[in-house]
Amino acid sequence: MKAQVKSKLNTEGRVDLQDVIPLETPFLLYVDPSSACNFRCQFCPTGHIDLLKASEYKRRVLDFALFEKIIRDVSEFPDHLRVMRLNKIGEPLLNKNLPDMVRLAKQCGRIDYIDLATNASLFNEGLLEALIEAGLDRLNVSLEGIDNDQYRKHAKVDVNFDEIIKNIKWLYQNKGGCEISIKIPGNYLSEKDREIFFDIFGNYCDRIFIEELSPIWPEFDVEERAHVKITQDEGQYRQKLEEKEVCTYIFYAMAVNADGTVSACCPDWDQKLLIGDARRQSLREIWGSDSMRKLQKLHLKGLRETHPVCASCGHVKFSQQDNIDDFKEIILMKIFKE
């Protein structure tokens, strides 16, 4: 097998956040090209019609003119953006302008790395070639099964799995400098299924990994919705679990939703943690806004459990790699002088 058995998460060379907070420029900016998805995965909020109907966000694609404004805003930060991630809650390939977005972001010269995650169902050679030529640095493929029947059961869609395999093979053979990562939720797989997954894709990607479904979405019960049992032994990336008070996401990242509003973090699927609006404010203004600072202060004071959204979010425990709990008083003084 050519691929490394490794998650999409880059753990090497991570900066000690307590040494660099507060950041004048976020390390990571999520931009959601589409808040709509063509799948109905049961472990994801977008897979449930009742939640969509009651949700604060409306399904749409990001307007290209707004994306152009976002790129101009990125150039106003004092430092380069380390990563722009072109996905959040939806399927990014539903936005027909996606290759042009990648190209524009790459050509601005202020973004070091661009990646995205996709379910691969909309792959075709022309689209993949356009993304590669635009300069995409990594393409993360999220699979929901190892055959058509598993997709019907877990993603509630009919796919041509053989066509997905064919397109992924073409992608790997023509990827140029683009890294290819493939993952699948292990909760649905038997030991035989796991072997088949590695056999099919192990030679057609750079990284391959079996993730653990985890309660990473606030106000979403993944056990009840996806009918799985969440282990308390491992996190999403099969790391050892660690209880933490402070969410580190809100100190180095933020997310632009498809409608232009800005969330304090990527897991904010229902857009209840809004800190600004990129249609009317600059990203630099939003990053240093009172709304973001208020949320950061609440976490640093050990009051995350008092926030109605943050209290129900398992991302801190099950997905985040950094831990600044021991430094929260020092960081509080650095940011707020108290």
Side-chain angles (χ1 to χ4, degrees):
M1 184 171 72
K2 296 179 182 178
Q4 285 184 287
V5 179
K6 183 180 180 181
S7 79
K8 64 182 180 181
L9 193 70
N10 289 327
T11 57
E12 304 86 359
R14 293 183 75 87
V15 173
D16 290 329
L17 290 176
Q18 66 271 12
D19 294 338
V20 297
I21 294 172
L23 294 170
E24 290 190 78
T25 305
F27 286 163
L28 168 62
L29 181 69
Y30 284 87
V31 179
D32 203 10
S34 169
S35 58
C37 187
N38 57 333
F39 278 16
R40 292 290 177 263
C41 300
Q42 297 301 283
F43 60 82
C44 177
T46 60
H48 299 271
I49 299 298
D50 62 320
L51 293 181
L52 295 182
K53 288 181 177 179
S55 175
E56 296 291 326
Y57 84 88
K58 304 302 178 186
R59 288 170 286 177
R60 69 187 73 206
V61 296
L62 181 69
D63 182 73
F64 189 73
L66 177 56
F67 186 77
E68 291 177 312
K69 192 262 185 187
I70 290 168
I71 296 302
R72 292 195 297 272
D73 283 359
V74 166
S75 299
E76 294 178 0
F77 283 113
D79 301 311
H80 281 208
L81 191 67
R82 293 192 177 193
V83 179
M84 176 173 281
R85 187 149 293 150
L86 291 172
N87 61 263
K88 180 178 178 274
I89 189 64
E91 169 50 52
L93 270 61
L94 288 172
N95 193 317
K96 304 302 182 184
N97 292 317
L98 188 62
D100 291 331
M101 290 178 173
V102 174
R103 182 176 295 103
L104 186 66
K106 181 63 75 171
Q107 290 177 348
C108 82
R110 302 285 295 178
I111 303 170
D112 295 337
Y113 193 86
I114 304 168
D115 66 14
L116 62 86
T118 171
N119 61 37
S121 65
L122 300 175
F123 278 1
N124 60 69
E125 292 181 10
L127 175 58
L128 293 173
E129 185 174 29
L131 288 170
I132 292 166
E133 290 181 350
L136 187 66
D137 291 294
R138 188 168 79 191
L139 199 160
N140 301 304
V141 175
S142 298
L143 298 179
E144 313 310 337
I146 51 104
D147 57 40
N148 296 338
D149 289 339
Q150 288 189 9
Y151 269 79
R152 288 190 199 98
K153 181 176 181 180
H154 303 303
K156 306 301 181 186
V157 291
D158 286 311
V159 298
N160 185 335
F161 193 64
D162 289 337
E163 189 70 15
I164 290 176
I165 295 172
K166 174 186 171 184
N167 284 322
I168 289 175
K169 288 182 177 180
W170 186 94
L171 169 64
Y172 184 71
Q173 292 163 353
N174 295 275
K175 68 186 182 71
C178 183
E179 184 182 20
I180 309 302
S181 172
I182 300 179
K183 60 94 169 176
I184 193 170
N187 308 65
Y188 299 145
L189 303 179
S190 67
E191 287 303 316
K192 181 62 176 177
D193 289 340
R194 292 165 184 251
E195 292 178 13
I196 293 172
F197 169 66
F198 285 119
D199 287 344
I200 293 175
F201 297 105
N203 288 319
Y204 298 100
C205 58
D206 301 293
R207 305 188 193 193
I208 192 166
F209 197 70
I210 299 176
E211 287 189 355
E212 185 73 23
L213 290 181
S214 300
I216 60 173
W217 305 106
E219 302 181 311
F220 179 78
D221 190 334
V222 68
E223 286 190 319
E224 177 186 345
R225 293 281 182 169
H227 307 294
V228 295
K229 181 66 177 176
I230 299 301
T231 176
Q232 295 297 317
D233 299 322
E234 293 181 312
Q236 181 181 5
Y237 305 108
R238 302 202 172 276
Q239 79 279 17
K240 183 179 178 180
L241 291 180
E242 183 180 12
E243 295 288 350
K244 305 167 194 171
E245 286 186 332
V246 182
C247 172
T248 56
Y249 246 32
I250 57 177
F251 292 92
Y252 71 87
M254 60 180 177
V256 182
N257 300 307
D259 63 0
T261 58
V262 180
S263 291
C265 64
C266 176
D268 181 33
W269 67 272
D270 202 15
Q271 299 184 193
K272 292 182 177 179
L273 280 175
L274 298 183
I275 55 171
D277 192 327
R279 293 167 295 189
R280 292 180 280 275
Q281 300 167 274
S282 73
L283 291 179
R284 189 174 184 182
E285 177 186 355
I286 295 169
W287 177 242
S289 66
D290 290 342
S291 296
M292 181 60 113
R293 289 288 185 252
K294 181 179 179 181
L295 187 64
Q296 291 172 342
K297 179 184 280 192
L298 181 137
H299 280 244
L300 291 172
K301 287 194 169 185
L303 299 173
R304 177 170 64 89
E305 293 297 327
T306 68
H307 194 286
V309 177
C310 296
S312 65
C313 179
H315 200 277
V316 177
K317 178 179 179 179
F318 286 87
S319 293
Q320 293 182 20
Q321 304 300 298
D322 307 293
N323 188 343
I324 58 174
D325 282 7
D326 291 342
F327 306 93
K328 60 181 184 292
E329 291 85 4
I330 296 173
I331 296 172
L332 190 65
M333 290 182 62
K334 286 170 65 177
I335 298 178
F336 301 100
K337 314 301 181 186
E338 62 177 66

